[in-house]
Amino acid sequence: MTGPQNGATTLVNTLVDNGVDICFANPGTSEMHFLAALDNPRMRSVLCLFEGVATGAADGWYRMKETPASTLLHLGPGLANGLANIHNAKRASSGMVNIVGEHSISHLKYNPPLSSDIEGLARPLSHWVRRADSADTIAWDASQAVQVASEHPGKISTLILPGDVSWRAVEAAVVPPARPATRKAPLQARIDHIAKVLKSGESAMIILANRATRGRALELAGKVAKATGARLGSQFFTARIERGAGRTPIERIPYAVAQASAFLEGFQHLITVETVEPVAFFSYPDKPSLMKKEGTSVHALAEADENSELAFEMLLDALGVAQDAPSLIQPALDTVPPTGALNPISIAHALAVAIPENAIVVDESLTTGRESMGLTMGAAPHDLINNMGGSIGYSTPVATGVALACPDRPVICMVGDGSAMYTIQSLWTQAREELNITTIIFANNSYAILKAEYANMGAGKPGPQAMAMIDIGNPRIDWLAMATSMGVPSVAVETAEDFTKALADAVKEPGPKLIEVRL
Ligand SMILES: Cc1ncc(C[n+]2csc(CCOP(=O)(O)OP(=O)(O)O)c2C)c(N)n1
Ligand SMILES: [Mg+2]
């Protein structure tokens, strides 16, 4: 952009110059100059009708691109609306640059209605918070924000933008040089120690996370496993796994504490890669927090900020295994198209049949997919994305960001009906942007998982008031009307064959679709 620059135009240009070229926005009066600056063909702007959609979409963008997106949020309340999905993004190690509008400095002293402690709201879920205080230095602030967000693992940056900083003319811009993001190399001595462990003949599981669950790092992990007999595992939830036929398969450590403990009992060593040892999602009165058996050793092959691809190269060398040695390969499974009743097994079989090659599956299926997604391991090669932060309502926004990041790939979003209600406004953005997303709603009219957790916690038998807090069937949500109201074509299915067909049809056609799976 040429011509006289103000703080807002400089901010947008700096974001784009540093590779941040999409903004998931929900603007207000204090952001009007930023909005004007978004009229810049280098920046794509996407309107989201709730800030949790904007922040979740930024998370989805990062999961695919591994570079941050920006969000535009309206003062403290706008940020607060976006925080739950910022939390999920943070736990997924996604980078994000939040621009939070603020009153002009001269106006703040009068405590107008939308004033609040924005730093106080931002800090717990941001790695970096700064308040821009001059149009001249905003390029510096913005490039710092992007720099931090682009670190490995990704970070949350929040830049607070007062109105007058936006509208003031830039006189003498301060611009820092760009520094490339780097990933740390692991220590050789630690690699050598792990090579010794793997050669000892004692049982070992290598637990992969973040960048190690895809690309070359995953393939190299498969070579280590094949050469040493170690097994490859992942935490129950992972930011993104490349899986399916022909890929290196990873076993999933179960969610439930008893099953996870039983699964881990067989291992004398856990070798962690960009993660830590498995921890129970919740604490229960009679169950442990750590799920390995007593006496199991834990070794970090690569810490969260280290380069796991390099770690596996070094490990293969230390083991005396060639870099081009064979890897583990997931065979294609010839799943028979399911018929009859819809249940977690028939649903997983339908997915295994209908997931198209190169699809991206965003999973918030909760009780419908929790035990059965292993059945899709041998489907056509695809990416699988999970919620890392446990705050429900992540999947429809994340699918939105994923589809914008990868417009040529079909996206499938599996979501429980309860979870879908948090951020269902995503459908509107999906329709407006014509995104290739098939949303599958698992309509069991219930917070089914909480019924099971009630028993797991030993809380006894739920009384009628307690039951009413986990039952969402009255009134019944009309999913077809919901989709129609936001411009998304929809269909309801009640049998496995209808579901398989509806899914296969939906992913073939461009644009968003919604399938209500009536359970
Ligand atoms: C922000 C947030 N609020 C509440 C919860 C607690 N919670 C966990 S699962 C769940 C209900 C999920 O229901 P649904 O998506 O329908 O899945 P189902 O259990 O029926 O399979 C709730 C309320 C949460 N995890 N995050
Ligand atoms: Mg439900």
Side-chain angles (χ1 to χ4, degrees):
M1 212 184 234
T2 52
Q5 299 290 305
N6 62 25
T9 57
T10 304
L11 171 54
V12 170
N13 277 321
T14 309
L15 290 172
V16 177
D17 289 344
N18 286 277
V20 178
D21 57 5
I22 191 160
C23 182
F24 297 101
N26 190 279
T29 305
S30 39
E31 294 86 57
M32 286 303 144
H33 287 82
F34 187 89
L35 206 52
L38 286 180
D39 247 315
N40 176 337
R42 298 166 71 213
M43 176 68 94
R44 181 162 187 181
S45 313
V46 177
L47 177 59
C48 301
L49 301 188
F50 174 66
E51 291 83 350
V53 176
T55 55
D59 182 7
W61 177 271
Y62 185 93
R63 302 256 195 144
M64 300 314 301
K65 293 262 192 193
E66 297 176 357
T67 60
S70 61
T71 67
L72 175 65
L73 311 171
H74 186 52
L75 297 96
L79 171 62
N81 278 343
L83 282 177
N85 275 334
I86 292 178
H87 161 83
N88 285 331
K90 185 173 185 236
R91 299 298 302 211
S93 301
S94 293
M96 179 185 305
V97 177
N98 299 306
I99 309 296
V100 182
E102 166 66 305
H103 292 303
S104 296
I105 295 161
S106 60
H107 193 56
L108 267 178
K109 60 177 171 290
Y110 303 113
N111 193 25
L114 269 161
S115 326
S116 68
D117 178 2
I118 300 180
E119 279 90 343
L121 289 165
R123 215 165 265 129
L125 294 171
S126 303
H127 297 90
W128 180 100
V129 181
R130 184 174 293 178
R131 176 173 288 253
D133 63 1
S134 133
D136 280 350
T137 48
I138 193 133
W140 173 278
D141 296 330
S143 56
Q144 275 300 113
V146 179
Q147 180 84 35
V148 172
S150 307
E151 284 173 10
H152 175 74
K155 303 270 185 312
I156 309 295
S157 295
T158 302
L159 179 61
I160 302 166
L161 178 65
D164 52 349
V165 173
S166 267
W167 71 59
R168 287 223 168 97
V170 172
E171 282 158 17
V174 182
V175 186
R179 280 166 292 157
T182 54
R183 294 166 73 187
K184 288 187 201 153
L187 279 183
Q188 184 66 48
R190 229 170 54 217
I191 303 282
D192 292 342
H193 173 72
I194 288 168
K196 226 184 281 166
V197 168
L198 288 173
K199 281 185 185 161
S200 70
E202 295 182 347
S203 54
M205 169 156 273
I206 304 174
I207 304 177
L208 306 172
N210 207 9
R211 302 269 178 102
T213 56
R214 47 204 197 234
R216 189 150 172 277
L218 175 57
E219 203 189 323
L220 294 175
K223 293 173 195 254
V224 170
K226 183 134 184 141
T228 62
R231 280 163 60 187
L232 297 183
S234 73
Q235 308 281 2
F236 191 74
F237 296 116
T238 299
R240 175 161 68 89
I241 299 184
E242 286 175 357
R243 74 203 279 270
R247 296 256 172 82
T248 302
I250 312 175
E251 297 175 61
R252 192 177 192 187
I253 299 171
Y255 178 86
V257 179
Q259 285 156 260
S261 299
F263 178 88
L264 292 170
E265 195 160 287
F267 300 104
Q268 285 153 291
H269 300 277
L270 299 180
I271 296 169
T272 57
V273 185
E274 298 193 45
T275 186
V276 295
E277 70 171 282
V279 176
F281 215 76
F282 289 104
S283 69
Y284 300 85
D286 55 347
K287 296 195 174 82
S289 291
L290 294 179
M291 304 194 289
K292 67 173 187 295
K293 80 167 177 216
E294 224 179 286
T296 297
S297 310
V298 181
H299 317 269
L301 176 69
E303 302 285 3
D305 60 349
E306 290 178 334
N307 185 338
S308 53
E309 190 178 321
L310 178 59
F312 279 116
E313 282 173 9
M314 291 164 73
L315 183 58
L316 285 167
D317 283 347
L319 289 165
V321 177
Q323 301 283 332
D324 61 356
S327 186
L328 295 180
I329 302 282
Q330 168 69 48
L333 293 181
D334 244 342
T335 307
V336 178
T339 55
L342 283 163
N343 55 48
I345 304 291
S346 63
I347 287 168
H349 281 143
L351 285 158
V353 170
I355 289 174
E357 184 161 353
N358 218 18
I360 304 162
V361 180
V362 181
D363 186 357
E364 194 168 32
S365 57
L366 278 82
T367 54
T368 309
R370 182 155 282 185
E371 314 294 340
S372 52
M373 279 307 135
L375 296 171
T376 63
M377 285 271 287
H382 62 278
D383 287 35
L384 178 69
I385 288 175
N386 289 132
N387 186 357
M388 304 293 290
S391 177
I392 60 175
Y394 101 103
S395 63
T396 59
V398 165
T400 306
V402 159
L404 281 155
C406 302
D408 301 328
R409 298 178 63 177
V411 178
I412 297 172
C413 175
M414 307 191 288
V415 57
D417 48 3
S419 301
M421 285 302 284
Y422 284 66
T423 42
I424 195 66
Q425 303 90 325
S426 308
L427 292 180
W428 183 88
T429 300
Q430 293 173 14
R432 180 189 235 222
E433 301 290 333
E434 299 175 13
L435 303 180
N436 300 324
I437 302 173
T438 301
T439 299
I440 305 168
I441 305 278
F442 294 123
N444 58 8
N445 304 303
S446 159
Y447 286 168
I449 192 167
L450 298 188
K451 291 184 182 158
E453 291 291 45
Y454 203 93
N456 288 342
M457 279 290 173
K461 197 174 146 27
Q465 275 304 332
M467 268 314 271
M469 295 301 108
I470 47 189
D471 167 19
I472 60 169
N474 179 25
R476 212 184 149 110
I477 298 157
D478 186 338
W479 290 103
L480 302 184
M482 180 85 82
T484 305
S485 75
M486 285 181 269
V488 173
S490 59
V491 61
V493 293
E494 294 184 1
T495 65
E497 47 271 48
D498 284 355
F499 175 50
T500 312
K501 184 173 181 320
L503 183 55
D505 289 347
V507 295
K508 260 188 250 138
E509 282 172 41
K513 306 273 170 334
L514 181 141
I515 302 172
E516 177 190 352
V517 170
R518 292 196 174 144
L519 292 167

